[in-house]
Amino acid sequence: MATAPARPGPGLLARARLVAGLAQTWVRRPGLPTRVVLDLTRRCNLRCTMCRTWARPADGELTAAEIDALLARLGPGLRWLDLTGGEPFLRRDLPQIFEAVATRAPRLGVLHFQTNGWFTERVLAQTVALRRRLPGAVELIVTVSIDGPAALHDRIRGVPGAFARAVATATGLRAAGIDVHVGTTITRDNAEQLSATWAALREALPGLPRARWHLNAMQISPHFYDNAAAAPLRVAVDDVGAHVFARGVPRSLPELMESIYLVNLAFTQRGEPSGVRCQALRSTLFVSPEGELYPCHLYDRPLGNVREHDVVALWHAAATLRARADIERLACGGCFSACEAYPALAGAPLQTLRTTARRGFTLLRERSRADRVHDG
């Protein structure tokens, strides 16, 4: 398996352009979404306890040609693209989809996708080819999902050997110079095993920075995860807070955003509202594998299909604007999921700074008290 040498990340000018592109949403709703989550497939080779997307019919996926046409319409405004699933690498036409991403979004600043890591050679070959094809100004981030030490991860993911495959994929991507994050979804199965999970990651992936370990809490979504019957989860705030401090001082914009997200996650898991304005349908959009538009991956409110309507027309449609107004008044129920939290934090910087500073000082005081009790 050929590997690519490590490449420097985007420079200051590229990051400034990305921030400027996102900053337009501070004052207005742009003519095109600046960030899109594109769900490529419901298919998955694993059988995870917290997600049942694999149980839904996988008929009618947008073809690579249809995705190319969709990105051609959205590309002029697109700064940030998330590709998700299911397992994206089950699509045999993924190289064609990657080519569409590389050619149809001239202002793209961030491209992120996740994988369960099962198809190691396929992931390495196609990701390295994509990195070579993308302009240097695009920050490519790949998240490999690992939810616990080997036995626990395999039990959560429902297939023996899943941990070993994920580790092999993460190892290969890191060797190829790809910016790899490990993503852990906190569920009832592993909520008490975060310390053991980090210990397993340190052993399996030597040198993995703590800042490359991403935590997110399990979410409920009828149209994305197909897990509406599951009970919501509250994560112990001490675990999340401890992870914030263990990560250390952020050394890049993505690390800063992750730390801000984690501080606020700690308090939303206590039951507090997020305190930050959601960006769903203001700057962000979710597209299902079949081409149905939704406000986000959680709000089960279909807005129209790109096979039947022009996606730009849907973005400006009265039904979309009504849905946005309902989101503003939290008729959706409100949430703080990782997928929606990042654009929300970036879309309201002053509100984010005030809220995060207050919560961050609270965490510091709580940690200081806990240290004094421990020392005493």
Side-chain angles (χ1 to χ4, degrees):
M1 171 63 209
T3 60
R7 294 176 50 161
L12 289 177
L13 181 58
R15 291 194 185 279
R17 287 173 178 164
L18 172 62
V19 172
L22 298 175
Q24 62 184 298
T25 65
W26 300 349
V27 294
R28 66 181 179 90
R29 183 177 187 265
L32 291 170
T34 56
R35 187 250 186 174
V36 170
V37 179
L38 180 55
D39 190 1
L40 296 179
T41 183
R42 299 190 187 279
R43 291 175 285 155
C44 188
N45 56 299
L46 302 186
R47 298 293 180 263
C48 304
T49 57
M50 65 287 196
C51 173
R52 289 182 53 81
T53 182
W54 50 269
R56 297 187 63 175
D59 300 331
E61 292 176 352
L62 294 176
T63 66
E66 288 173 321
I67 291 172
D68 180 86
L70 175 67
L71 292 175
R73 292 292 286 147
L74 295 174
L78 199 58
R79 266 65 173 193
W80 181 349
L81 177 63
D82 281 280
L83 303 176
T84 188
E87 172 50 46
F89 286 90
L90 279 170
R91 288 197 60 143
R92 295 292 179 175
D93 59 357
L94 190 58
Q96 288 72 47
I97 295 172
F98 281 166
E99 178 64 20
V101 172
T103 58
R104 295 300 193 181
R107 298 178 179 178
L108 191 65
V110 176
L111 172 60
H112 169 259
F113 59 83
Q114 103 293 331
T115 176
N116 61 39
W118 186 268
F119 304 102
T120 299
E121 292 303 317
R122 192 182 307 172
V123 174
L124 297 185
Q126 294 180 15
T127 303
V128 168
L130 171 64
R131 177 66 274 181
R132 290 173 174 157
R133 185 71 180 82
L134 288 172
V138 178
E139 184 153 11
L140 174 63
I141 302 172
V142 181
T143 298
V144 179
S145 300
I146 299 179
D147 291 329
L152 177 59
H153 175 83
D154 289 359
R155 177 166 62 84
I156 291 172
R157 294 281 165 167
V159 178
F163 180 88
R165 295 282 191 107
V167 167
T169 298
T171 299
L173 289 171
R174 293 174 70 202
I178 304 298
D179 186 6
V180 178
H181 293 233
V182 171
T184 298
T185 298
I186 306 173
T187 68
R188 284 180 174 78
D189 294 318
N190 64 2
E192 304 299 323
Q193 298 295 322
L194 294 185
S195 294
T197 300
W198 176 240
L201 292 176
R202 291 182 64 188
E203 180 178 356
L205 297 167
L208 178 73
R210 184 93 180 206
R212 292 297 187 272
W213 184 31
H214 169 73
L215 299 179
N216 63 279
M218 173 186 169
Q219 300 290 329
I220 307 298
S221 171
H223 74 86
F224 182 47
Y225 297 117
D226 195 29
N227 64 350
L233 172 74
R234 292 293 184 195
V235 180
V237 66
D238 290 344
D239 293 338
V240 179
H243 181 50
V244 173
F245 292 111
R247 285 168 55 87
V249 177
R251 292 179 293 181
S252 67
L253 180 60
E255 289 185 14
L256 176 62
M257 288 296 294
E258 177 81 355
S259 293
I260 291 173
Y261 157 74
L262 287 166
V263 168
N264 288 282
L265 176 66
F267 285 84
T268 56
Q269 287 300 311
R270 287 178 168 178
E272 290 188 16
S274 74
V276 181
R277 185 187 194 187
C278 179
Q279 288 288 303
L281 297 184
R282 179 175 171 85
S283 65
T284 72
L285 190 65
F286 177 93
V287 184
S288 80
E290 302 80 22
E292 195 71 31
L293 265 62
Y294 291 87
C296 65
H297 74 302
L298 298 180
Y299 193 10
D300 192 12
R301 185 167 174 170
L303 301 169
N305 196 288
V306 299
R307 284 179 166 141
E308 301 166 1
H309 308 280
D310 174 63
V311 67
V312 178
L314 286 174
W315 176 250
H316 293 283
T320 302
L321 298 179
R322 286 195 298 271
R324 173 60 198 171
D326 286 344
I327 292 167
E328 289 273 11
R329 61 185 184 87
L330 298 182
C332 58
C335 74
F336 194 72
S337 73
C339 288
E340 306 311 320
Y342 284 91
L345 297 172
L350 294 180
Q351 188 181 31
T352 295
L353 288 174
R354 288 196 299 268
T355 302
T356 306
R358 173 178 60 82
R359 289 170 169 169
F361 283 127
T362 299
L363 285 179
L364 281 170
R365 288 196 300 270
E366 292 174 349
R367 183 179 177 85
S368 178
R369 285 198 298 268
D371 287 344
R372 287 198 299 271
V373 170
H374 181 268
D375 292 341

